[in-house]
Amino acid sequence: MKLYRPGWAPASAISDNIQMPPAVKNQPIVCVGGPLSGIETDLLVVPWFEDDAPAGGPGAPGGPGIDAASGGEVSRALASGEFQAKAYEWFLTPVVDRQWRARRIAVIGAGRRADCGSDLLRKLAVSAGITVRQRHINHAAFSVRGEGAAADLAQAAAEGLTLAEFSAGAYKTGEPAPEAAPDWTLAMLDRAGDAVTAAVARGRTLGECSNLARDLANEPGNTLTPREFARRASALAREAGVGVEILDETQIEKLGMGLLLGVARGSSEPPRLIVFRHDPPGAPKTPVLGLVGKGITFDTGGISIKPADGMERMKDDMAGGAAVACAMRAIALLGAPIRVIGVVPTTENMPGGRAIKPGDILKSAEGKTVEVINTDAEGRLILGDGLWYARRLGATHLVDVATLTGACVVALGRIASGLFGTPDSFVQCVRAVADRAGDRVWPMPLFEEYRDQLRSDIADMMNTGGRPAGSITAAMFLKEFSGGLPWVHMDIAGTAWAEEARPYLPKGPSGVAVRTLAQLAFERF
Ligand code: BES
Ligand code: MN
Ligand code: ZN
């Protein structure tokens, strides 16, 4: 089948007079051990459990002391109900005890101690971080408390404090520049050993890489075109030592990627294929983890055009690709011991005069033919060629991440990403990593019978399977391109963007999947 060159525009000024804001560099989080009274800071934030004893004692914050240090303000607030230690409640009080070196203490409600593991501690740290920034406090400390290993808790707290530094208002001109990030001390009640210090640095890196992915997802379609996405993603990965290659439309055509080219036809911006390689010296030949991310820089739906209402959100349809790029950066910075390949096909999905039409047939690089029923089901098309390419580069295990279906949002809401794949052991492995990383996922079935919904009269398959089980048939489509390798698909359509602010997640891009993908490279599978 001949591939057509639709006459993409040559490289040109991408966004006229809009300058993309530079990424902010943060200072490291200092980690200290010992009694809280010794920590010198403007504000000491201490998680307070419902089952903490106000007067202190074993198990209470900092041992005997927090309440006394505040001159009894904490127990008065608990007695009056002003502070009930429900998650994210905040109560701030001066320190009156001269022996203490903190100027003020804020207790942050943390619920029951048994329920406060690293997941909640991460969220509490985000909430504390946001509050401290809003109040322009420059030096603050966060006390690491909760159930679990000290290193896990410390890492989660460092992640949370870092995630709190994300700011979505990049293009506001009327307001002062976003507040500088406060410098944070993490206070460990026990000794802060090497393992804890390393965990804090790891958490910092993972949080920063999540924020970079959020910046990319937040970027509008006019500044983040496929070429600009490729440029930015490659810069942030290269900087960390990742090998990066950007394939242009000619190379993509040579590879026969008819699905990616088909989607790109409707746009005057040419597509790109971003390829990342983490190849640490001495790494075993296998496994080779292949990460594939959906990189639609704007999804209008194409000829099967979307309604205007809410379409602006479709600038984040490259959140999966951003997660892969930023996870590759984290993987290199953290020195993952295995080989990892990242593949991000990127294009716009536009309804131009040369756009693909419903009924058109496309041929994938793998050779399979696809009848395009709905041009808005474009993510699975570009991922089909992306998965094939990751295999060709030697991936032995595949994980793809995509804002793939509205149906997944219907199924799981905005609380969890859909998790699909085979075999079950690999799915469970990714699930366990995601749980630890604080990326909520939930497994969905891939029964063979679902494949029937994709049967085409004219080609090997259709690109849509009707309304029932829409997120599953999309995953079944991707499975056709997994070549029988262990493969997991994360549908992040509901989780990539927070529609409503929560104490631990402001409105806007969430950075979902970055930490899961990065930490997967440290697993045995
Ligand atoms: N990018 C969308 C999926 C999406 C929807 C992400 C809502 C975030 C929020 C995807 O390309 C899409 O349009 N999917 C279609 C598939 C359908 C035509 C089979 C959908 O979900 O409606
Ligand atoms: Mn679409
Ligand atoms: Zn899409």
Side-chain angles (χ1 to χ4, degrees):
M1 192 176 301
K2 176 94 183 68
L3 299 167
Y4 297 94
R5 298 293 300 277
W8 283 300
S12 60
I14 283 162
S15 52
D16 306 319
N17 60 344
I18 311 254
Q19 187 82 54
M20 280 183 297
V24 191
K25 285 259 188 291
N26 302 310
Q27 38 209 333
I29 293 175
V30 181
C31 182
V32 301
L36 293 178
S37 56
I39 292 177
E40 179 159 0
T41 181
D42 290 342
L43 181 69
L44 172 63
V45 183
V46 185
W48 189 284
F49 302 116
E50 286 170 18
D51 38 351
D52 268 333
I66 289 268
D67 188 44
S70 72
E73 283 300 331
V74 174
S75 48
R76 270 194 287 279
L78 283 164
S80 70
E82 181 179 348
F83 178 73
Q84 301 177 14
K86 301 246 178 311
Y88 311 110
E89 274 181 2
W90 179 267
F91 177 75
L92 190 138
T93 171
V95 172
V96 294
D97 185 336
R98 290 279 188 73
Q99 307 286 340
W100 282 60
R101 303 181 61 197
R103 273 210 305 127
R104 287 167 303 170
I105 289 172
V107 282
I108 181 167
R112 296 192 64 79
R113 183 177 179 114
D115 302 331
C116 185
S118 38
D119 194 42
L120 181 56
L121 195 69
R122 183 186 297 107
K123 293 172 169 173
L124 292 172
V126 178
S127 169
I130 292 173
T131 306
V132 162
R133 264 187 56 196
Q134 281 167 348
R135 296 179 184 209
H136 302 275
I137 297 165
N138 294 322
H139 310 280
F142 186 86
S143 163
V144 174
R145 303 184 72 214
E147 289 295 308
D152 293 346
L153 293 170
Q155 177 179 330
E159 287 171 14
L161 295 176
T162 308
L163 291 169
E165 286 166 8
F166 172 73
S167 165
Y171 291 100
K172 289 181 185 289
T173 61
E175 294 170 17
E179 315 88 286
D183 68 65
W184 277 101
T185 301
L186 272 188
M188 307 299 297
L189 294 177
D190 296 325
R191 234 167 38 81
D194 289 350
V196 169
T197 308
V200 170
R202 197 158 59 231
R204 187 67 160 157
T205 298
L206 289 166
E208 283 172 0
C209 290
S210 304
N211 287 346
L212 287 170
R214 296 163 90 181
D215 280 333
L216 286 170
N218 197 35
E219 207 60 59
N222 67 331
T223 64
L224 202 79
T225 58
R227 277 175 295 177
E228 183 59 17
F229 183 27
R231 195 185 66 75
R232 280 238 257 165
S234 71
L236 63 84
R238 259 193 206 119
E239 203 180 65
V242 178
V244 188
E245 214 182 327
I246 301 174
L247 308 192
D248 65 15
E249 62 272 32
T250 311
Q251 292 161 295
I252 293 169
E253 188 177 339
K254 277 211 186 87
L255 288 164
M257 296 191 167
L259 302 184
L260 173 56
L261 287 172
V263 174
R265 290 181 57 93
S267 169
S268 45
E269 289 289 335
R272 290 290 182 264
L273 188 78
I274 322 170
V275 182
F276 305 90
R277 281 191 185 82
H278 173 70
D279 212 340
K285 274 189 106 65
T286 59
V288 181
L289 181 60
L291 307 178
V292 182
K294 173 175 173 180
I296 296 291
T297 59
F298 195 86
D299 182 11
T300 66
I303 295 301
S304 313
I305 198 161
K306 289 180 181 296
D309 200 25
M311 202 206 273
E312 71 283 354
R313 261 286 316 289
M314 285 299 126
K315 70 176 184 178
D316 84 337
D317 212 17
M318 33 55 69
V324 167
C326 296
M328 291 303 302
R329 177 180 164 99
I331 283 167
L333 291 175
L334 301 177
I338 61 165
R339 295 173 57 202
V340 186
I341 291 166
V343 175
V344 177
T346 175
T347 172
E348 293 181 329
N349 185 23
M350 298 283 284
R354 294 174 188 268
I356 48 168
K357 303 165 288 296
D360 284 3
I361 312 274
L362 300 176
K363 186 167 181 179
S364 65
E366 146 146 15
K368 287 181 173 144
T369 53
V370 177
E371 180 186 7
V372 176
I373 299 300
N374 189 318
T375 65
D376 198 8
E378 84 296 341
R380 62 197 78 181
L381 294 175
I382 70 168
L383 288 169
D385 279 340
L387 287 164
W388 170 82
Y389 197 61
R391 278 193 282 138
R392 206 178 100 134
L393 295 180
T396 60
H397 293 70
L398 297 166
V399 179
D400 77 75
V401 184
T403 45
L404 202 63
T405 65
C408 191
V409 191
V410 173
L412 297 173
R414 306 190 176 282
I415 308 302
S417 307
L419 197 66
F420 308 77
T422 175
D424 220 38
S425 54
F426 190 45
V427 179
Q428 289 308 325
C429 171
V430 175
R431 186 182 180 187
V433 175
D435 286 348
R436 266 188 281 127
D439 286 326
R440 281 253 178 83
V441 297
W442 199 255
M444 304 277 277
L446 289 179
F447 301 120
E448 264 317 301
E449 286 86 340
Y450 288 117
R451 171 75 177 69
D452 297 346
Q453 286 174 237
L454 296 175
R455 202 173 288 150
S456 162
D457 293 331
I458 183 172
D460 292 334
M461 55 188 151
M462 306 193 296
N463 76 328
T464 60
R467 276 179 66 83
S471 71
I472 297 176
T473 52
M476 290 302 280
F477 182 96
L478 297 180
K479 184 169 179 239
E480 294 291 316
F481 297 90
S482 65
L485 292 179
W487 154 77
V488 165
H489 157 59
M490 266 175 89
D491 193 333
I492 58 168
T495 50
W497 193 272
E499 300 275 2
E500 253 157 56
R502 295 171 191 270
Y504 54 87
L505 183 62
K507 236 167 134 167
S510 67
V512 66
V514 173
R515 299 192 304 279
T516 298
L517 294 181
Q519 290 180 111
L520 189 58
F522 290 82
E523 286 301 300
R524 300 170 130 269
F525 43 76

